[in-house]
Amino acid sequence: MTADDKTEDAAGPAVATSRRRDPSASEYLAAHGGPFFELQRRLGLLHEHSLKTGRRAVLFIALAWLVPLLLGFPRSFLAADTPGSYLGDLGVWGRFVVGIGAFVLAEQQVERGLRIKLGQFLKAPLIAPGSVASFGDAVTKALERRDSRIAEAVCLVLAIAAAVVALANAHTATVSSWAVEVSAAGNRLTATGWWVVFVSQPLFIFLLLRGLWRHLVWAQLLRRIARLELRLVATHPDGNGGLGFLAGYPNAYVLFIFGVSAAIGAAIAKHLLQESLTTTTFSMIATGWLVIVIALFAYPLSAFSKPLAELKERSLLMLGSQATRYQRLNERKIIGTNVAAASADEAQQQADDTADPTKQYETTRKLSAILLSRTAIVPVAAAALLPIAAAGATILPYKEVFSVLKKLLLL
């Protein structure tokens, strides 16, 4: 057990259940719960208080990548530059080593990051007293969705469907490889091919879909919180009314996004070995993938744009009214009367009765209703683009690939 594998919640299931009922102590453990988690717990692969991500990453990589390597002995140990070599297949490395490893290792990072962000709503506190119960209900509902047997069953069915598709594609292959032997009598899957089709590939797809489902659960939780009464303040120094901390949550998904991008990049590189690629096409691929990744995180954060925009509008109106009163009082103090619409009632008021709202007004004008900032998304964008850039570099000059990568990261 390593320090990175430990979570801060060492409480047992009974305490965890109690916390679900008490929103003031609830902890959103994104990597816990669900049938797959329970299966791993019963097998001793993890505990309630320890995800053991390092150990499980090694085990899953061994199941998905090492076992097929051994099943294909001695052919699978051919040099990487040999046609049809297992060790030279970029897709195998991208999905079963980098992808699966990243998905498992990301669990600890995601769980810790989301728990801290959610806890800040109560620590600040940003939830109005009248909405605390609703906040607790939202968290409880999210935990129920996280533990959904139906959701994980759908992920498993889709993973199996992907295996069926892979099997069908194998029978249409025209060249022999580590996965299939092509002959006049028909195509035949090797032992390595059977394992990859029914174990390695489904495991990769299942972990990917399960991770995406749990992010969707988190996204829906944030969108529900955005509809509650929030104790926001327009002049908060974070420039987001007190919600600035939430803008950094995508960074918790750096490893997960890197794992997905590694699989995509490997598939692109494998395809490019037989095709040509222009800088324009590469730029379109990289831009398209980056837009998808950003949209993944923009969806939950965009729910807070409405309350922030309303906060800014209302605050500016109130501060503007205050500024009008203050400046007219100051005007009378200096020149003895108001230049426009002088009033006897106003003349009786003293300048010291009204505070100067100028600083608050200027700060409020700078309030941003958009939580997804460039600085917060750069680490995730880099994780999404680097594997794609590596794939492009197999065909294009390094300078051109670096130029496209630099432009996208500086957007």
Side-chain angles (χ1 to χ4, degrees):
M1 183 189 304
T2 64
D4 290 338
D5 289 334
K6 294 180 179 179
T7 63
E8 295 179 8
D9 184 12
V15 176
T17 302
S18 172
R19 285 178 175 173
R20 292 184 190 182
R21 300 193 190 100
D22 181 7
S24 66
S26 60
E27 289 192 22
Y28 187 81
L29 302 179
H32 282 59
F36 188 58
F37 177 87
E38 288 302 318
L39 175 62
Q40 294 178 88
R41 186 180 63 80
R42 291 179 182 180
L43 293 175
L45 300 180
L46 47 71
H47 299 294
E48 286 287 339
H49 60 278
S50 176
L51 292 176
K52 297 184 178 180
T53 53
R55 182 185 303 180
R56 287 191 297 119
V58 172
L59 174 61
F60 288 165
I61 290 174
L63 283 174
W65 179 82
L66 183 59
V67 171
L69 177 68
L70 298 177
L71 287 175
F73 181 84
R75 181 172 180 174
S76 58
F77 285 87
L78 294 175
D81 57 353
T82 303
S85 168
Y86 181 83
L87 291 176
D89 193 318
L90 295 176
V92 168
W93 287 95
R95 288 172 294 169
F96 308 145
V97 177
V98 180
I100 287 179
F103 294 159
V104 178
L105 292 174
E107 290 180 6
Q108 183 71 45
Q109 185 180 28
V110 169
E111 182 165 277
R112 181 178 182 277
L114 301 193
R115 186 177 70 248
I116 291 175
K117 302 303 181 186
L118 189 63
Q120 184 64 18
F121 279 101
L122 295 174
K123 291 178 181 177
L126 289 169
I127 306 298
S131 294
V132 172
S134 297
F135 176 84
D137 291 340
V139 174
T140 300
K141 182 64 176 179
L143 291 173
E144 292 174 355
R145 290 175 175 172
R146 180 202 67 180
D147 298 344
S148 173
R149 292 179 178 273
I150 295 177
E152 290 202 2
V154 170
C155 292
L156 181 59
V157 169
L158 292 176
I160 295 174
V164 174
V165 172
L167 180 61
N169 290 336
H171 285 292
T172 61
T174 57
V175 180
S176 296
S177 66
W178 59 266
V180 61
E181 292 180 356
V182 178
S183 65
N187 293 0
R188 183 177 67 86
L189 259 66
T190 63
T192 299
W194 282 110
W195 185 274
V196 167
V197 166
F198 288 105
V199 178
S200 305
Q201 183 72 359
L203 179 60
F204 170 79
I205 297 296
F206 176 77
L207 292 176
L208 169 62
L209 294 177
R210 183 173 178 265
L212 290 175
W213 162 252
R214 294 193 169 212
H215 179 264
L216 178 60
V217 170
W218 165 257
Q220 292 302 112
L221 173 59
L222 288 187
R223 294 186 70 86
R224 188 170 177 179
I225 292 174
R227 295 194 294 268
L228 301 179
E229 185 180 4
L230 302 176
R231 301 173 71 250
L232 305 178
V233 55
T235 54
H236 197 286
D238 68 7
N240 291 121
L243 292 172
F245 69 94
L246 200 57
Y249 104 80
N251 291 340
Y253 281 87
V254 167
L255 271 178
F256 183 84
I257 293 299
F258 183 79
V260 179
S261 296
I264 294 175
I268 293 174
K270 188 176 179 179
H271 177 73
L272 291 179
L273 291 176
Q274 301 175 347
E275 302 288 342
S276 60
L277 178 71
T278 64
T279 303
T280 301
T281 302
F282 170 73
S283 179
M284 291 176 61
I285 293 174
T287 302
W289 173 234
L290 182 60
V291 169
I292 292 174
V293 171
I294 293 177
L296 183 69
F297 301 111
Y299 170 67
L301 293 176
S302 63
F304 293 93
S305 294
K306 182 179 179 181
L308 285 173
E310 291 177 348
L311 171 69
K312 182 175 182 178
E313 180 182 18
R314 292 168 58 191
S315 297
L316 286 176
L317 287 174
M318 295 177 69
L319 288 169
S321 299
Q322 176 80 344
T324 298
R325 289 192 297 270
Y326 177 81
Q327 294 301 337
R328 284 179 66 82
L329 287 169
N330 238 15
E331 184 180 58
R332 287 196 304 275
K333 184 177 180 180
I334 295 174
I335 64 177
T337 186
N338 290 122
V339 175
S343 169
D345 292 336
E346 282 186 304
Q348 296 177 0
Q349 300 179 26
Q350 299 297 320
D352 292 339
D353 294 341
T354 304
D356 184 1
T358 302
K359 291 184 178 180
Q360 285 83 353
Y361 188 88
E362 291 301 320
T363 302
T364 301
R365 287 182 60 186
K366 298 176 182 178
L367 171 67
S368 174
I370 300 176
L371 288 181
L372 195 67
S373 64
R374 186 180 67 84
T375 54
I377 205 68
V378 162
V380 177
L385 292 175
L386 286 177
I388 306 299
T394 60
I395 299 295
L396 297 173
Y398 291 103
K399 289 184 178 180
E400 293 184 14
V401 172
F402 179 77
S403 176
V404 172
L405 185 65
K406 183 179 179 181
K407 289 178 180 178
L408 290 176
L409 290 177
L410 290 178
L411 285 177

